[in-house]
Amino acid sequence: MTGRSGRHRETRPASLLARLSLARNSLAGQVFSLQALIVLLLITAASLALFFQARFDSEKDARNRSLAAAEAFAHAPGLPAALASPDPTAELQPLADAARKASGVDFISVLSTDGVRYTDARPDLIGKRATGDLARAVAGQPFTEVFRGAPSDAVRAVVPVRDAGGQVVGLVSTGIEIENVGHVVEGQLPLLIGAAAGALLLGTAGAALVSRRLRRQTRGLGAAELARMNEHHEAVLHAVREGVLIVDADHRLLLANDEARRLLDLPPDAEQRDVGELGLDPRTAELLLSGRVATDEVHLAGDRLLAVNVRPTAPFAGRPSGSVMTLRDTTELAALSGRAEVARERLQLLYDAGVRIGTTLDVVRTAEELSEVAVPRFADFVTVELLEPVLRGDEPSPVAGMHARMRRAAMTGVRADQPLQPVGDTIFFAVPNAPMAEALDAGQAVLAADLHAAMGWRAADAAGTRTALEYGFHSLISVPLQARGVVLGMANFWRAADTPEAFDEEDLSFAEELGARAAVSIDNARRFTREHATAVTLQRSLLPRVLPDLSAVETAFRYLPAKAGVGGDWFDVIPLPGARVALVVGDVVGHGVHAAATMGRLRTAVHNFSTLDMPPDELLGHLDELIDRIDQLEAGEPAGGGESDEGVVEEPAGITGATCLYAVYDPVSGHCVMASAGHPGPALVHPDGRVEFPELPTGLPLGVGGMPFEAAGLALPEGSRLVLFTDGLLEDRDRDFDAGLELLGRTLARPGRSPEQACADVLAAMLFPAPSDDIALLIAEARRLDPHRIAEWEVPDDPSAVSRVRRAAAGQLEAWGMEELSFTAELVLSELITNAIRYGNEPIRVRLLHDRNLICEVSDGSSTSPHLRYAATTDEGGRGLFLVAQYAERWGTRYTERGKVIWAELSRTAGAEPQLPPGLDLDALEDLAW
């Protein structure tokens, strides 16, 4: 597969041959081959030249040495005399050998004028005639020559020998054999070859380096590819309709294509000139000089609008980088791009409206969000008016004329000083041809492009509209806010002097779309407001409005529903027999009407179970079992999962997810027993202000089931306070549970305040601006019953003891100033003690408590429970408990760990003394046992 340039994309050939093939085909490979060939030819020529030069120099040296040796020997003293001697050979041969060896020539021959040798390096040649032409020497002219012939080829010199008269009397021939001259050249060949090889290597390496550099710069492309790339470069640079400028780090213009010259009207000699000297627009010149990156910046060049992009070039050879600027003529597209930009901004505004409108489910805040989104990107001022029922969360009524008046719920503008009616005013739409009234009648947006010509609007309020026109209001779009076909209000978009352009038809459709989206959010907020109000009403009806006034505790409470929706927090204070009191706090997971209704069911169940006077752990166990049974019944009912008004199948809603803390305080002993079903434990505030959070076994939440609950006992000193709360008081998005617990401890640790003041201080310190969960707070200050108001007696298992205890009780009532209750108390005690003796087990005790009422308690060791019944006319007994129930304010039975307690509460305001049957006295009550 090939790329655009026709080269193979493979960058790592599998073999050396492949690499050589790629190198040979590339321009760098071709240059390398050519350079290597030239280097080889040059070195070969140089080597040959050096070789022949060496031969020439060797031959020349041989000539010079031969001539020098010949002349030196020819001019030696005594040579002419020796030639004239009878035996020249005997005299001259030793001298010739010595001279030959000293001069380094191959032979020195002394010849007669006719060429006969007297001496020679080879004795066998002595006496023989020398070959060759010796005429010049005989004529008196020395010479050198390359002699070829017998006995050997040589470079020889022939010099005449003259006598004292100047006559040539002989010849001296010296020479070096051609073979020896060649040996000299051959001795230089290794050096010559080595130098040639070194030069070849250096030349090849240089060619390789040049080729490598060229390959890196040409990317391994061939000549044809480079030619094609150059054609493309020329086409891109000069044929495209986009200007290109290249500026170096010194702000000199290096290159400008034809389009850039045309767009910027550059002079012909612009290249290599400083950017500041080109006469460019100041902004364009500043952009080039700064070197900063730019993307599609719009610059002015004469009457053209240019989209300019600037990017830095990569540094080269350690030099700083320059920059490349591209220019595109956008003059013809300016109007179209402007409309596209407006459309893009409108789409972005619609997106922002979808994100920002309806974030709080508050009707007024939703209207404010609509006005804030549209200013200033669409309108200079926005007003939103809503119908009164919508503000309350009610469904708008279709009564005729109801839309003629609305309340201004929100207003936002680019300036604070504006002539429009403020938020909260009632706005009337009485003039039929006013834009607002027309929009409401037509059920669609209405455009008043020129308010000066909107006579209906001006007639509605002549003075106010005149002020608005003088202020600069000139254009209006009125949009009815409708959801599900019901009008909820009106949104008015105004343009003033800050935006000279009037609204047009495109703005009208956009405003209608924006109003439709806002209307849905306002309707959702209205429906939420209605549901929230319903849930608050239901919850407040289910929570205790006032707490009972008890001797055991002084209580204060606070309850705040969550802003996001009513939850299921609740609390309660329940009077119990024996002057005791039950303190309850709980939390149902979730929000809304279902959570409030669930809370009411749980509170009612706790009230019912408390009448059985169970310990806290047993009560939570029964409550957990009840919730589990209710969940199972609701999940199994065919009608439990019906369809809502919108046709959506609703799943049955269970109660699982509730927590509860139940505590019972006895003011006689000062002891408090409590148990928790997944609820945070209470805070204990000691009389000196010290705060602690007692360890309390925390069971599973109600409805989970499977595990028993565990109770814990706590001694409450008189004056101490037990603080019960839900987790909404402690934690929120910005504070965790532990931090809230620490802050609560610091807030409670201030003595000298009433429970009511303490509640107020806790909320002031810990309340969030917009709590996300309900808050329930209950503070109970413990009181102790005065020991002088308590009377107790041990009763032996003897019927005769009844009268003694009865008389002792009468005496105690007289001491308390409660003589009016003596007869009734004696009657009740006689019946209860008699029955305890007859049917109960020891120990038997009697206790009187002087609280707001008189409480009579008889305890025994039996767990048998008495039952109220009507005695037949033939029965001798069975009427005693009936009398107790008739004359006591309240009565009942509670069980203890070792038996039971039967109690009766007698009120001082119950009325006159009871009338017994004729002939019946208190001593006869023993016969009326049940």
Side-chain angles (χ1 to χ4, degrees):
M1 185 175 179
T2 60
R4 295 182 181 178
S5 62
R7 296 186 296 115
H8 287 279
R9 294 186 183 274
E10 185 178 358
T11 57
R12 297 185 62 186
S15 64
L16 179 61
L17 291 178
R19 287 198 296 271
L20 292 176
S21 176
L22 289 175
R24 183 172 64 252
N25 293 333
S26 66
L27 178 63
Q30 295 176 12
V31 170
F32 173 74
S33 301
L34 181 60
Q35 286 180 328
L37 179 60
I38 292 174
V39 168
L40 180 61
L41 291 176
L42 288 176
I43 292 176
T44 303
S47 300
L48 291 175
L50 289 174
F51 176 77
F52 287 111
Q53 182 66 37
R55 287 189 63 87
F56 176 77
D57 291 342
S58 298
E59 185 176 328
K60 184 179 180 180
D61 181 65
R63 286 175 183 269
N64 292 336
R65 286 168 56 196
S66 297
L67 181 60
E71 286 184 344
F73 198 83
H75 292 86
L79 183 59
L83 288 173
S85 67
D87 190 5
T89 300
E91 293 185 14
L92 294 176
Q93 180 68 25
L95 296 176
D97 290 338
R100 176 178 60 81
K101 294 177 180 179
S103 61
V105 297
D106 290 334
F107 63 90
I108 296 180
S109 298
V110 180
L111 310 174
S112 64
T113 54
D114 55 359
V116 177
R117 296 183 178 89
Y118 294 123
T119 66
D120 198 87
R122 294 170 58 181
D124 59 314
L125 296 178
I126 296 175
K128 295 182 179 179
R129 185 181 297 276
T131 59
D133 185 11
L134 303 176
R136 289 179 293 174
V138 173
Q141 180 183 355
F143 68 92
T144 61
E145 67 176 354
V146 177
F147 174 76
R148 295 186 182 279
S152 63
D153 298 337
V155 176
R156 72 178 180 178
V158 181
V159 177
V161 180
R162 298 179 184 272
D163 59 6
Q167 295 294 321
V168 175
V169 296
L171 302 173
V172 176
S173 174
T174 64
I176 301 174
E177 294 180 356
I178 293 298
E179 182 181 357
N180 293 332
V181 174
H183 288 329
V184 173
V185 176
E186 291 174 359
Q188 295 179 350
L189 280 178
L191 178 61
L192 182 62
I193 294 173
L200 180 61
L201 289 176
L202 289 176
T204 305
L209 291 176
V210 172
S211 175
R212 182 179 179 184
R213 179 64 178 271
L214 185 60
R215 182 182 296 110
R216 186 165 57 248
Q217 294 188 349
T218 61
R219 310 296 185 187
L221 300 175
E225 294 170 319
L226 288 175
R228 185 162 59 251
M229 287 183 62
N230 183 65
E231 293 173 0
H232 295 169
H233 167 76
E234 292 294 328
V236 171
L237 194 60
H238 299 292
V240 297
R241 294 294 301 275
E242 186 163 340
V244 178
L245 296 178
I246 300 179
V247 180
D248 66 5
D250 298 329
H251 305 142
R252 289 182 298 108
L253 180 63
L254 299 181
L255 182 143
N257 70 344
D258 298 340
E259 184 68 7
R261 292 177 181 275
R262 183 184 71 83
L263 294 175
L264 299 176
D265 196 18
L266 296 177
D269 60 343
E271 293 182 355
Q272 301 302 321
R273 291 176 60 180
D274 191 270
V275 171
E277 302 173 359
L278 300 179
L280 302 176
D281 177 73
R283 287 186 63 223
T284 307
E286 184 275 331
L287 181 58
L288 279 172
L289 292 173
S290 66
R292 64 181 177 86
V293 175
T295 301
D296 287 339
E297 287 190 8
V298 179
H299 288 246
L300 185 65
D303 57 348
R304 298 186 183 95
L305 292 177
L306 304 180
V308 178
N309 294 273
V310 178
R311 293 294 184 273
T313 60
F316 176 74
R319 300 181 60 187
S321 64
S323 58
V324 177
M325 172 182 282
T326 60
L327 310 126
R328 186 174 63 257
D329 191 354
T330 61
T331 306
E332 298 177 356
L333 300 176
L336 180 60
S337 62
R339 290 194 295 271
E341 178 64 20
V342 170
R344 187 193 66 81
E345 291 178 354
R346 295 292 168 81
L347 288 175
Q348 182 64 38
L349 182 55
L350 285 177
Y351 171 77
D352 292 344
V355 173
R356 294 176 54 186
I357 297 178
T359 60
T360 61
L361 291 177
D362 181 83
V363 174
V364 174
R365 180 56 193 154
T366 304
E368 292 173 350
E369 290 169 345
L370 168 60
S371 63
E372 291 169 358
V373 164
V375 176
R377 290 190 288 176
F378 179 65
D380 296 328
F381 295 88
V382 176
T383 59
V384 181
E385 294 80 37
L386 298 176
L387 295 170
E388 289 287 352
V390 175
L391 292 171
R392 298 192 301 267
D394 297 333
E395 184 82 17
S397 173
V399 177
M402 183 176 181
H403 298 160
R405 54 180 295 171
M406 298 182 185
R407 186 170 300 279
R408 179 151 292 168
M411 180 171 58
T412 301
V414 294
R415 286 176 287 170
D417 58 324
Q418 45 78 28
L420 300 174
Q421 290 178 256
V423 173
D425 276 14
T426 300
I427 310 298
F428 295 92
F429 307 120
V431 180
N433 60 343
M436 297 81 165
E438 290 180 353
L440 290 171
D441 291 339
Q444 61 185 15
V446 172
L447 168 64
D450 184 6
L451 288 177
H452 292 84
M455 296 306 173
W457 173 71
R458 300 182 65 174
D461 182 5
T465 54
R466 183 171 59 253
T467 303
L469 292 174
E470 292 174 354
Y471 184 83
F473 283 81
H474 61 83
S475 191
L476 165 67
I477 294 179
S478 295
V479 181
L481 300 177
Q482 303 179 94
R484 299 176 292 107
V486 178
V487 175
L488 306 175
M490 167 73 63
N492 295 296
F493 302 90
W494 310 80
R495 279 186 179 172
D498 301 86
T499 306
E501 298 84 5
F503 287 117
D504 55 22
E505 292 297 329
E506 293 183 0
D507 296 326
L508 182 67
S509 60
F510 173 78
E512 197 160 26
E513 175 67 20
L514 187 61
R517 296 193 179 198
V520 173
S521 297
I522 291 175
D523 189 53
N524 290 338
R526 178 196 63 79
R527 297 170 70 181
F528 173 79
T529 301
R530 180 182 61 185
E531 181 180 343
H532 181 76
T534 303
V536 169
T537 302
L538 174 62
Q539 189 174 45
R540 292 193 182 279
S541 67
L542 296 175
L543 287 173
R545 298 185 180 183
V546 294
L547 297 182
D549 185 13
L550 303 174
S551 302
V553 291
E554 180 184 357
T555 57
F557 69 93
R558 291 292 186 276
Y559 174 79
L560 291 178
K563 293 293 183 182
V566 174
D569 293 12
W570 94 92
F571 63 93
D572 217 333
V573 177
I574 305 173
L576 296 179
R580 296 170 303 134
V581 62
L583 305 173
V584 191
V585 65
D587 186 3
V588 176
V589 176
H591 295 86
V593 175
H594 173 70
T598 301
M599 176 272 294
R601 298 168 75 179
L602 292 181
R603 180 170 177 252
T604 302
V606 170
H607 264 275
N608 291 335
F609 285 131
S610 67
T611 59
L612 301 178
D613 213 348
M614 299 178 180
D617 52 339
E618 292 185 17
L619 184 143
L620 291 181
H622 285 288
L623 188 63
D624 180 67
E625 182 181 355
L626 173 65
I627 291 174
D628 184 62
R629 186 164 59 253
I630 292 176
D631 285 343
Q632 292 178 4
L633 292 175
E634 290 186 349
E637 284 181 353
E643 290 190 359
S644 64
D645 296 338
E646 291 79 8
V648 178
V649 176
E650 295 180 347
E651 295 293 334
I655 309 179
T656 303
T659 65
C660 181
L661 175 65
Y662 187 84
V664 175
Y665 172 64
D666 186 354
V668 177
S669 63
H671 192 68
C672 180
V673 181
M674 62 187 72
S676 171
H679 199 85
L684 176 60
V685 184
H686 291 269
D688 58 358
R690 181 168 53 89
V691 180
E692 64 174 309
F693 296 92
E695 291 290 338
L696 180 65
T698 303
L700 296 175
L702 298 173
V704 176
M707 294 295 293
F709 298 96
E710 184 178 353
L714 187 66
L716 298 185
E718 186 171 8
S720 62
R721 293 174 180 176
L722 199 63
V723 181
L724 286 72
F725 50 85
T726 57
D727 55 4
L729 178 69
L730 303 181
E731 58 184 352
D732 202 87
R733 286 182 288 269
D734 301 324
R735 188 172 66 204
D736 60 18
F737 186 85
D738 293 335
L741 208 62
E742 182 180 355
L743 179 59
L744 176 63
R746 292 198 304 268
T747 307
L748 292 173
R750 292 201 300 269
R753 297 172 299 172
S754 66
E756 190 69 28
Q757 292 172 335
C759 279
D761 292 345
V762 167
L763 287 190
M766 307 193 64
L767 186 63
F768 295 95
S772 59
D773 197 4
D774 289 15
I775 295 175
L777 174 66
L778 176 63
I779 299 180
E781 182 173 322
R783 297 173 179 173
R784 296 291 295 274
L785 193 62
D786 189 346
H788 296 94
R789 289 173 168 248
I790 304 172
E792 294 184 277
W793 296 276
E794 290 283 345
V795 180
D797 189 10
D798 182 3
S800 62
V802 176
S803 58
R804 294 197 301 270
V805 174
R806 190 174 64 233
R807 287 190 294 271
Q812 184 64 60
L813 292 178
E814 184 179 357
W816 285 342
M818 304 179 72
E819 297 89 344
E820 69 275 13
L821 292 178
S822 295
F823 187 83
T824 306
E826 289 183 61
L827 185 150
V828 170
L829 289 176
S830 294
E831 172 60 25
L832 297 181
I833 297 172
T834 301
N835 283 284
I837 293 174
R838 288 185 178 182
Y839 304 105
N841 299 323
E842 291 185 323
I844 301 174
R845 295 186 179 88
V846 174
R847 185 173 70 169
L848 296 182
L849 301 179
H850 180 191
D851 193 23
R852 299 175 186 270
N853 294 325
L854 177 64
I855 301 172
C856 304
E857 296 180 346
V858 176
S859 63
D860 66 84
S862 171
S863 60
T864 302
S865 176
H867 297 281
L868 181 65
R869 64 185 181 87
Y870 289 94
T873 55
T874 57
D875 291 342
E876 295 183 359
R879 299 181 180 85
L881 195 57
F882 179 80
L883 292 176
V884 172
Q886 183 177 6
Y887 297 122
E889 182 78 13
R890 294 187 306 157
W891 75 278
T893 304
R894 70 172 182 271
Y895 294 93
T896 63
E897 295 180 357
R898 299 179 180 178
K900 66 178 181 297
V901 176
I902 303 178
W903 57 271
E905 186 173 327
L906 308 180
S907 173
R908 302 182 67 172
T909 60
E913 184 175 292
Q915 297 296 322
L916 295 179
L920 185 67
D921 60 8
L922 293 178
D923 292 330
L925 288 177
E926 289 80 353
D927 298 330
L928 299 178
W930 65 84

